[in-house]
Amino acid sequence: MTIHIGADSGEIAQTVLLPGDPYRARWAAENFLKNARLVNEVRGMLGFTGTWKGHRVTIHGSGMGMPSLSIYVNELIRDYGARTLIRIGSCGGMQDHVALRDVILAMTASSISTPSKGILRELNFAPCADWSLLQAAAQAAQRRGTRTHVGGIYSSDVFYDERPDLNEQMVRHGILGVEMEAAELYTLAARHGCRALAVLTVSDHLLSGAALSSAERETSFADMVEIALEAAFA
Ligand code: HPA
């Protein structure tokens, strides 16, 4: 048990999928895991452990934003021994060739700041995905026929952004999409010698203003869960 996770030691698997939304964690556990058991509900942040094709997996909410994710990922790695951590979430598309429902595999995650800034200070550390997970996820997505992009994303501290000039620079520099968690996930994984990846569905588009319906979000979420599980155990 930690400050934010009520699971006993041994109740968290080495492989953890991290949706932002705790209800998505429950949905994914109910639909993809065998013998899924609730192992955390502190502050309503649900975590489940079960098996997928015989492999132990935990699916645990991260909350929204890097400070929230940082709390859970620190405890999952340092106290529970998690070794492979895959974020499954949504992002806003930032390029014309990136469409709603497309999957983005985040090779790198740029940011203005992360919770790790305090220790990295003047270093512009480049948070990047684990290559073995990235490669396996790209192959899994290709097998499934999912329209997929691999490249850089932006991890923002704000959803309601007031810096159009910064977004312009992101677009200009080929950033595929914006979300709010991956840069800190990648930084923590690097610090602790773990594997990490963010698998993201484009749920809205910053250039066109289009957005997925909630039914479309659910089917695209299922796609991401399968890509993440196949990548984790490739
Ligand atoms: N901004 C930040 N995070 C997001 C977005 C967005 O437009 N869409 C999904 N996650």
Side-chain angles (χ1 to χ4, degrees):
M1 204 160 137
T2 59
I3 296 175
H4 305 95
I5 301 177
D8 287 334
S9 63
E11 283 189 320
I12 302 282
Q14 286 193 356
T15 298
V16 183
L17 266 49
L18 294 157
D21 177 353
Y23 293 130
R24 291 277 182 197
R26 181 169 63 198
W27 185 89
E30 284 170 354
N31 286 281
F32 290 94
L33 301 188
K34 279 203 179 128
N35 305 316
R37 241 173 26 83
L38 180 71
V39 294
N40 185 37
E41 54 181 334
V42 175
R43 290 176 182 246
M45 191 52 77
L46 308 178
F48 298 83
T49 298
T51 60
W52 179 79
K53 297 190 176 175
H55 303 286
R56 267 185 103 224
V57 181
T58 295
I59 306 182
H60 196 291
S62 70
M64 290 180 282
M66 291 186 269
S68 175
L69 173 132
S70 189
I71 289 171
Y72 295 108
V73 169
N74 263 291
E75 294 180 11
L76 288 165
I77 293 175
R78 292 166 20 158
D79 299 293
Y80 291 99
R83 303 299 300 158
T84 295
L85 301 104
I86 304 180
R87 163 165 158 69
I88 43 176
S90 60
C91 70
M94 295 187 81
Q95 298 289 331
D96 284 327
H97 69 280
V98 169
L100 290 185
R101 288 204 68 140
D102 286 1
V103 163
I104 294 176
L105 302 175
M107 186 154 64
T108 63
S110 299
S111 70
I112 290 182
S113 179
T114 72
S116 295
K117 181 84 176 165
I119 61 168
L120 295 169
R121 301 202 208 177
E122 70 271 40
L123 178 66
N124 275 320
F125 178 72
C128 71
D130 175 81
W131 167 243
S132 63
L133 287 178
L134 182 60
Q135 188 182 36
Q139 287 168 350
Q142 193 173 27
R143 274 197 303 276
R144 303 172 61 75
T146 308
R147 264 181 59 104
T148 304
H149 310 268
V150 180
I153 61 149
Y154 172 52
S155 297
S156 177
D157 277 336
V158 287
F159 187 88
Y160 297 103
D161 197 71
E162 305 264 354
R163 285 283 307 274
D165 59 315
L166 187 60
N167 282 344
E168 250 173 59
Q169 292 304 333
M170 300 283 173
V171 173
R172 191 171 163 225
H173 288 81
I175 293 292
L176 297 170
V178 52
E179 51 85 86
M180 299 181 65
E181 292 83 14
E184 175 70 357
L185 171 64
Y186 288 3
T187 303
L188 290 172
R191 190 178 310 152
H192 295 285
C194 296
R195 303 195 304 162
L197 178 67
V199 180
L200 306 165
T201 302
V202 179
S203 63
D204 54 84
H205 208 290
L206 270 64
L207 304 181
S208 69
L212 288 185
S213 68
S214 56
E216 288 170 322
R217 276 171 182 255
E218 188 157 309
T219 51
S220 62
F221 185 72
D223 228 25
M224 278 190 292
V225 175
E226 292 199 304
I227 291 169
L229 287 168
E230 285 178 29
F233 301 108

